[in-house]
């Protein structure tokens, strides 16, 4: 932390695990650094992450050895790899299309498949609850579509970009005689990066307050 501050680094960011029993001096030092404006940290809650990993089939012993696999995705050290989060899902764009629909340029560039899974504009919801429920339906539909494409094309990764030397460092790849891109590691998963959650939350709150509660703006504004 001191070296990061002294050199005013942005990359690599520091990955920090925090638990209920973390020393107060450690938590206070992190807090001081963040409050001073040096905020290039990835903070992970042991209780939340370990519970999430075990809920997804990892042993407790392995889950306790989690690390940050890159930007933000968690993984078990030496047991798996995130396969690279090369798909970033833009959640605020779902909100944008929900509110405004596609532009003429976006529609012209879209395909028949994409038009079928694009978010549906919500024109005249009677209240915020209706708007929220329809937006969540849009979000789920769009995420499902992206995941479907990830599965469809991700299975070709083993042929496009196998990683034999890296795979040799992961548990079970040698035993299974398979590259990690072919499912040879102890745990094999595929991920996408869902970005813009804070922007979506802010947008929903603003719509709830300014459109439906205070009625400062119309639903079509």
């Amino acid at each position: 932390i001191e070296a990061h501050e002294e050199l005013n680094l942005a990359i690599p960011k520091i990955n920090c695990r925090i638990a209920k029993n973390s020393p107060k001096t450690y938590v206070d030092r992190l807090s001081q650094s963040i409050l001073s404006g040096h905020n290039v940290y990835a903070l992970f809650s042991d209780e939340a992450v370990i519970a999430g990993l075990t809920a997804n089939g990892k042993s407790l012993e392995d889950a306790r050895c989690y690390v940050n696999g890159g930007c933000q995705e968690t993984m078990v050290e030496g047991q798996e790899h995130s396969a690279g989060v090369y798909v970033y899902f833009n959640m605020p764009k779902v909100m944008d299309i929900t509110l405004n629909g596609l532009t003429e340029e976006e529609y012209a560039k879209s395909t028949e498949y994409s038009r079928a899974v694009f978010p549906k504009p919500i024109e005249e919801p009677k209240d915020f609850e209706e708007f929220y429920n329809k937006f969540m339906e849009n979000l789920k539909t769009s995420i499902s579509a992206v995941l479907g494409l990830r599965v469809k094309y991700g299975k070709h990764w083993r042929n496009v970009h196998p990683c034999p030397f890296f795979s040799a460092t992961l548990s079970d790849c040698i035993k299974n005689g398979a590259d990690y891109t072919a499912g040879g590691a102890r745990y094999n998963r595929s991920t996408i990066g869902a970005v813009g959650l804070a922007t979506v939350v802010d947008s929903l709150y603003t719509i709830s307050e300014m459109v439906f509660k205070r009625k400062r703006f119309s639903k079509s504004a």
Side-chain angles (χ1 to χ4, degrees), residues 62-74:
D62 287 342
R64 286 171 173 163
C65 295
Y66 81 86
V67 296
N68 180 5
C71 297
Q72 61 280 319
E73 64 274 15
T74 53

Side-chain angles (χ1 to χ4, degrees), residues 139-175:
L139 194 62
K140 291 176 183 178
T141 298
S142 298
I143 290 176
S144 295
V146 171
L147 289 174
L149 292 174
R150 182 72 161 84
V151 172
K152 179 179 179 180
Y153 296 108
K155 64 183 180 181
H156 300 295
W157 191 250
R158 67 191 67 180
N159 300 319
V160 175
H161 189 51
C163 302
F165 291 109
F166 177 67
S167 295
T169 70
L170 297 179
S171 296
D172 299 354
C173 281
I174 292 179
K175 181 177 69 175

Side-chain angles (χ1 to χ4, degrees), residues 68-106:
N68 180 5
C71 297
Q72 61 280 319
E73 64 274 15
T74 53
M75 53 183 259
V76 177
E77 178 70 39
Q79 313 289 1
E80 62 179 335
H81 186 59
S82 62
V85 183
Y86 58 83
V87 175
Y88 286 86
F89 183 81
N90 189 339
M91 292 192 289
K93 187 60 179 178
V94 176
M95 174 66 76
D96 180 29
I97 298 175
T98 295
L99 292 171
N100 304 309
L102 296 174
T103 65
E104 292 183 3
E105 182 180 0
E106 288 171 334

Side-chain angles (χ1 to χ4, degrees), residues 2-17:
E2 291 173 356
H4 238 246
E5 291 178 341
E6 181 181 348
L7 298 173
N8 197 28
L9 296 176
I11 297 175
K13 64 171 173 262
I14 301 180
N15 300 286
C16 305
R17 290 178 53 165

Side-chain angles (χ1 to χ4, degrees), residues 19-205:
K20 291 179 180 178
N21 60 349
S22 291
K24 186 176 184 301
T25 51
Y26 166 61
V27 177
D28 287 347
R29 186 66 182 83
L30 280 175
S31 301
Q32 292 167 5
S33 185
I34 293 171
L35 288 171
S36 70
H38 193 84
N39 58 1
V40 283
Y41 293 99
L43 306 178
F44 298 90
S45 165
D46 273 5
E47 287 78 13
V49 173
I50 292 172
L53 293 175
T54 54
N56 281 275
K58 296 177 174 61
S59 71
L60 179 59
E61 181 181 10
D62 287 342
R64 286 171 173 163
C65 295
Y66 81 86
V67 296
N68 180 5
C71 297
Q72 61 280 319
E73 64 274 15
T74 53
M75 53 183 259
V76 177
E77 178 70 39
Q79 313 289 1
E80 62 179 335
H81 186 59
S82 62
V85 183
Y86 58 83
V87 175
Y88 286 86
F89 183 81
N90 189 339
M91 292 192 289
K93 187 60 179 178
V94 176
M95 174 66 76
D96 180 29
I97 298 175
T98 295
L99 292 171
N100 304 309
L102 296 174
T103 65
E104 292 183 3
E105 182 180 0
E106 288 171 334
Y107 187 85
K109 290 181 178 179
S110 63
T111 64
E112 184 177 350
Y113 169 79
S114 62
R115 291 168 193 164
V117 298
F118 270 143
K120 303 297 186 294
I122 304 173
E123 297 180 355
E124 290 296 331
K126 66 178 184 297
D127 53 29
F128 176 73
E129 184 177 3
E130 180 183 345
F131 176 86
Y132 176 81
N133 289 334
K134 288 185 176 180
F135 169 72
M136 292 304 295
E137 289 176 11
N138 279 346
L139 194 62
K140 291 176 183 178
T141 298
S142 298
I143 290 176
S144 295
V146 171
L147 289 174
L149 292 174
R150 182 72 161 84
V151 172
K152 179 179 179 180
Y153 296 108
K155 64 183 180 181
H156 300 295
W157 191 250
R158 67 191 67 180
N159 300 319
V160 175
H161 189 51
C163 302
F165 291 109
F166 177 67
S167 295
T169 70
L170 297 179
S171 296
D172 299 354
C173 281
I174 292 179
K175 181 177 69 175
N176 294 328
D179 196 90
Y180 93 85
T181 60
R186 179 172 301 178
Y187 304 112
N188 298 280
R189 63 193 181 100
S190 179
T191 60
I192 66 170
V195 299
L197 175 60
T199 300
V200 168
V201 172
D202 288 345
S203 299
L204 288 169
Y205 178 76

